Amino acid sequence: MVNSMIDKATAIPVIMNKLKKLPIGHAIDLRTYKRNRSVVIARIGKDSFDVVEKGFHDDRFQLPLSKMKKLLKNLMKKEFPRSTKIRCYDLGESEADVHIRRKKI
């Protein structure tokens, strides 16, 4: 599981690049700096992704890569409104709806 910090200003192109290279069955987890809100994106097919939003809103989407950029813009505004950095975890082979505790106790 690889953790990296991404600037919010450049997050969408970086995430889109990661999604293009993501193998089928693997997922990435995007979190706020405080780790209290998340967006998990799993590749479930050649051109289909499962997105689970947990934070201010709890929602689930299934869409192709071509529609992902617009969804990411909306999710960034809703879930990471004041964040300047976004944590990005590479979950490896994982489901999108598996909740992983990231917040330190």
Side-chain angles (χ1 to χ4, degrees), residues 45-91:
K46 187 175 181 187
D47 190 35
S48 92
F49 292 87
D50 191 16
V51 182
V52 177
E53 169 188 11
K54 289 187 177 166
F56 289 126
H57 303 278
D58 290 352
D59 213 345
R60 185 177 201 136
F61 310 92
Q62 286 191 345
L63 63 159
L65 185 65
S66 60
K67 304 207 184 233
M68 187 65 71
K69 191 172 184 178
K70 184 175 182 179
L71 179 66
L72 282 173
K73 279 185 182 181
N74 289 334
L75 291 177
M76 295 283 182
K77 285 180 186 173
K78 279 198 296 189
E79 296 299 331
F80 312 131
R82 295 184 302 154
S83 299
T84 57
K85 297 273 189 185
I86 297 170
R87 293 180 190 271
C88 182
Y89 296 93
D90 185 0
L91 302 178

Side-chain angles (χ1 to χ4, degrees), residues 1-16:
M1 185 173 358
V2 179
N3 177 14
S4 62
M5 296 291 282
I6 303 171
D7 281 326
K8 187 178 175 184
T10 60
I12 291 177
V14 170
I15 294 166
M16 291 297 291

Side-chain angles (χ1 to χ4, degrees), residues 33-46:
Y33 181 77
K34 291 173 23 177
R35 299 182 193 104
N36 58 348
R37 294 185 299 279
S38 72
V39 175
V40 179
I41 306 170
R43 185 174 217 148
I44 55 174
K46 187 175 181 187

